[in-house]
Amino acid sequence: MDEMTIQTIRTQPFSDQKPGTSGLRKKTRYFQQPHYLENFVQAIFNTLESPVGATLAVGGDGRYFNREAIQIILKMAVAAGFSEVIVGQYGFLSTPAASCVIRKYRTLGGIVLSASHNPGGPDEDFGVKFNAANGGPAPEGLTEAIYAASRSLEQYRIAEMADVDIDTCGDYRRGETRIRVIDPVEDYLELMRKLFDFEKIANLLQQPDFTFCFDAMHAITGIYAKALFEQALGAPAGTVINGTPLPDFGGGHPDPNLAHAEELVHRMFRADGPVLGAASDGDGDRNMILGREFYVTPSDSVAVIAANATLIPAYRKGLAGVARSMPTSCALDAVANKLGLACYETPTGWKFFGNLLDAGKITICGEESFGTGSDHVREKDGIWAVMCWLNILAERQQSVADIVKAHWAAYGRSYYTRHDYEGLSNEQGAAIMLHLRALAASSEQAIAAVAEAGHAIALASADDFAYTDPVDASVSRQQGVRFLFADGARVVYRLSGTGTVGATLRIYVEKPEPNLARHDEDTQTYLADLIRLAGHLSHLEALSGRTEPTVIT
Ligand code: G1P
Ligand code: ZN
């Protein structure tokens, strides 16, 4: 056995290593400053019960600095005494594949390097997430503990060793640690085979009148999508576009929405466009679903998947329950009501679904932010969502638009939009939320503000959403200010927890429409009154000078 020299490096704690909605995210250069990454990784290791003798999974979305960060983490994992570290080849693991690997190999957890849908590059974003042994994002208690550890950190430990050849699968020994470089796709593909009807989907994909386009946005799902759709399921070559993961995502913004998945949107919104279109984000946990000239909102997508779940082999026996994040539309609730399922409303962020999934209270869950998933892993899963749609389409042999319209006819349609105001200063963001919290806390003032805006429908209630986890009774407060109206409409406000500079205000607007005759209207027009009201209630213009959102989804 080689003797390993373990260095103990003295360091100063950083005060800003508090993980946000999804891990610690900063500008790449900030992460590259001496000791910054190392401190955070050591804080994670110090928080774990015992790395000694345990297995750790490591991988990332391939963005700029991924490879260097992985070598650092490997050296620190060896120093921490892990007996085994599993790494994706090339340093690749999509977020859902990392979750799959953690679960399959029963590791103590995993470190996933990603800033999700944020751009990558030396001047863009980088991030580090820790996932626990269940494969899910560290719950709040754990992220708090990591943060606390980071604040008093005085040293970290790192092995003096040669870099590991992460481009070649195989076993590598470093001191007492075995480092296994694995195919990042294989285990995930095997899991997909267990969940879906591959034969039916393959038949669909080979039907001459069925056309499918998957936009990997130059990010990590390229390798998964090519292996799954083109190789395993026989979709024609070229089905996957932008399929080679690049460190800067081709200079793009790898966020699957109508604004950023430009090439896909261009192909889909024409009379001879593909029957199904889909895209995924930087680390593969988000998805967007499109039909020919038809956009499926993420809130509708999870509702349609839940309503049709028994068409999919994995869910043939039915669902235990469902969950959505609070700002996500109530389309899923309508399905749950009809099917007699429990429907949980959680704060924003996938980590809140973990306990419900672990406890078997839910099977399928989703967020309005292009996140959909199930109990097969503990992360949202973009490719899984596309597979759900393929399986449903293979069974129903209808167009995407027809399936969604039939869904609205059966369950009602919930018109829904999210308006983001990016690039506000932290002070502006805080001032808007402070004002909204005060308004929501006083029903008199809130009612007066609604009346002053000339809104005809009565305010039913207003609050700052707080969540008590039904499994461990932990409480999360201040999760979004919401105004609920007598007609079921809602306006919700919260600040983003994933940005790296300034503040982003998100305004979510929803109104259910049971009347079939009104299911074909333009969303922004249909919701125009509520959107105006949302601006008025927040004093947006006075407090930020803004009148128009930067992104509408
Ligand atoms: C955003 C989304 C949220 C999602 C998270 C991670 O967080 O709104 O639903 O879980 O990204 O993908 P936010 O920036 O709003 O805090
Ligand atoms: Zn993501």
Side-chain angles (χ1 to χ4, degrees):
M1 193 77 35
D2 319 337
E3 270 304 309
M4 263 297 128
T5 307
I6 308 293
Q7 286 188 296
T8 299
I9 311 284
R10 294 208 60 78
T11 182
Q12 302 273 328
F14 291 90
S15 60
D16 61 355
Q17 298 196 320
K18 188 177 170 62
T21 312
S22 185
L24 181 66
R25 247 177 238 186
K26 300 282 175 206
K27 286 288 165 209
T28 310
R29 283 194 207 284
Y30 198 79
F31 249 110
Q32 287 175 305
Q33 67 178 293
H35 311 316
Y36 195 81
L37 171 68
E38 290 86 344
N39 272 27
F40 189 63
V41 171
Q42 190 65 57
I44 295 172
F45 290 168
N46 289 356
T47 310
L48 298 178
E49 225 158 74
S50 172
V52 178
T55 303
L56 179 75
V58 184
D61 63 10
R63 70 179 58 224
Y64 182 85
F65 191 50
N66 190 59
R67 298 174 66 85
E68 294 82 352
I70 283 187
Q71 296 295 348
I72 292 171
I73 294 167
L74 291 179
K75 289 170 189 169
M76 291 185 66
V78 169
F82 281 96
S83 63
E84 187 168 306
V85 185
I86 300 176
V87 199
Q89 189 186 16
Y90 310 118
F92 289 165
L93 273 180
S94 76
T95 288
S99 186
C100 162
V101 164
I102 292 168
R103 293 168 69 76
K104 179 171 173 183
Y105 298 104
R106 299 176 189 278
T107 75
L108 186 60
I111 295 181
V112 185
L113 305 173
S114 168
S116 187
H117 49 286
N118 295 9
D123 297 315
E124 301 294 351
D125 293 351
F126 192 77
V128 179
K129 311 187 271 186
F130 181 73
N131 281 27
N134 71 346
E140 280 207 322
L142 187 50
T143 54
E144 285 300 328
I146 294 170
Y147 177 48
S150 78
R151 300 198 49 157
S152 59
L153 200 84
E154 287 176 348
Q155 58 184 50
Y156 63 83
R157 284 160 54 76
I158 187 159
E160 245 180 38
M161 65 186 220
D163 279 3
V164 174
D165 175 13
I166 55 173
D167 297 339
T168 311
C169 289
D171 279 16
Y172 302 84
R173 267 267 159 208
R174 293 291 186 274
E176 297 294 313
T177 309
R178 173 185 178 209
I179 296 171
R180 279 176 63 201
V181 179
I182 63 163
D183 180 324
V185 178
E186 207 175 278
D187 298 305
Y188 181 79
L189 205 70
E190 178 192 283
L191 178 59
M192 292 298 113
R193 278 188 200 280
K194 287 188 193 145
L195 304 176
F196 297 102
D197 191 331
F198 266 50
E199 212 180 294
K200 276 223 172 89
I201 296 173
N203 284 338
L204 175 77
L205 286 170
Q206 286 152 37
Q207 256 169 243
D209 57 343
F210 188 84
T211 39
F212 170 41
C213 179
F214 180 88
D215 188 349
M217 305 188 81
H218 302 291
I220 192 74
T221 51
I223 57 168
Y224 296 87
K226 280 191 208 157
L228 180 58
F229 302 134
E230 294 185 4
Q231 281 145 35
L233 292 164
T239 296
V240 178
I241 61 170
N242 302 316
T244 304
L246 299 174
D248 67 346
F249 309 117
H253 199 128
D255 200 3
N257 58 39
L258 291 176
H260 295 307
E262 256 171 90
E263 184 172 351
L264 177 71
V265 169
H266 178 76
R267 288 184 189 217
M268 296 303 296
F269 283 83
R270 38 189 293 179
D272 61 350
V275 175
L276 176 68
S280 190
D281 72 330
D283 62 329
D285 56 358
R286 293 187 173 201
N287 76 92
M288 175 171 69
I289 302 292
L290 301 171
R292 179 180 292 154
E293 298 182 285
F294 192 85
Y295 165 62
V296 186
T297 70
S299 296
D300 278 341
S301 178
V302 65
V304 169
I305 291 171
N308 290 277
T310 52
L311 298 177
I312 299 168
Y315 314 109
R316 202 142 272 161
K317 295 205 182 100
L319 308 176
V322 293
R324 63 166 172 83
S325 65
M326 182 273 282
T328 302
S329 102
C330 298
L332 186 59
D333 306 45
V335 174
N337 266 337
K338 221 174 191 172
L339 301 182
L341 298 172
C343 181
Y344 297 86
E345 187 177 36
T346 59
T348 295
W350 206 260
K351 59 179 171 242
F352 294 100
F353 294 132
N355 276 351
L356 298 171
L357 290 162
D358 284 350
K361 288 185 180 297
I362 60 166
T363 312
I364 283 178
C365 46
E367 293 193 274
E368 52 68 40
S369 53
F370 300 86
T372 334
S374 88
D375 58 359
H376 68 290
V377 288
R378 291 295 179 273
E379 288 279 5
K380 56 191 178 233
D381 187 345
I383 297 260
W384 169 88
V386 181
M387 287 295 283
C388 286
W389 274 92
L390 282 168
N391 210 144
I392 292 166
L393 289 166
E395 292 286 350
R396 294 187 48 158
Q397 298 285 331
Q398 285 171 291
S399 73
V400 170
D402 286 349
I403 288 174
V404 174
K405 285 178 184 172
H407 183 92
W408 292 339
Y411 299 96
R413 174 171 184 188
S414 221
Y415 282 93
Y416 184 86
T417 191
R418 182 177 109 184
H419 285 206
D420 290 340
Y421 290 81
E422 298 173 332
L424 302 179
S425 69
N426 287 325
E427 293 70 27
Q428 288 170 331
I432 292 171
M433 291 311 292
L434 196 69
H435 158 70
L436 284 167
R437 278 199 185 105
L439 190 60
S442 149
S443 53
E444 226 167 79
Q445 280 179 37
I447 289 168
V450 170
E452 191 190 285
H455 193 67
I457 312 295
L459 184 71
S461 66
D463 67 358
D464 192 347
F465 181 62
Y467 177 68
T468 304
D469 187 296
V471 180
D472 65 14
S474 59
V475 180
S476 304
R477 293 179 216 284
Q478 299 205 326
Q479 297 296 318
V481 175
R482 46 183 193 170
F483 296 86
L484 312 174
F485 297 88
D487 57 356
R490 305 192 292 163
V491 176
V492 176
Y493 306 83
R494 56 180 286 283
L495 292 180
S496 160
T498 56
T500 53
V501 272
T504 294
L505 176 71
R506 305 205 194 285
I507 305 182
Y508 311 80
V509 177
E510 170 177 22
K511 185 171 183 248
E513 178 54 76
N515 182 2
L516 186 62
R518 295 205 59 188
H519 282 178
D520 265 329
E521 296 181 27
D522 170 68
T523 298
Q524 299 302 318
T525 314
Y526 181 92
L527 294 173
D529 284 351
L530 278 165
I531 293 168
R532 209 170 308 120
L533 176 66
H536 182 91
L537 291 180
S538 59
H539 290 179
L540 185 69
E541 192 173 351
L543 292 175
S544 72
R546 300 287 185 86
T547 53
E548 295 298 326
T550 32
V551 180
I552 296 179
T553 48

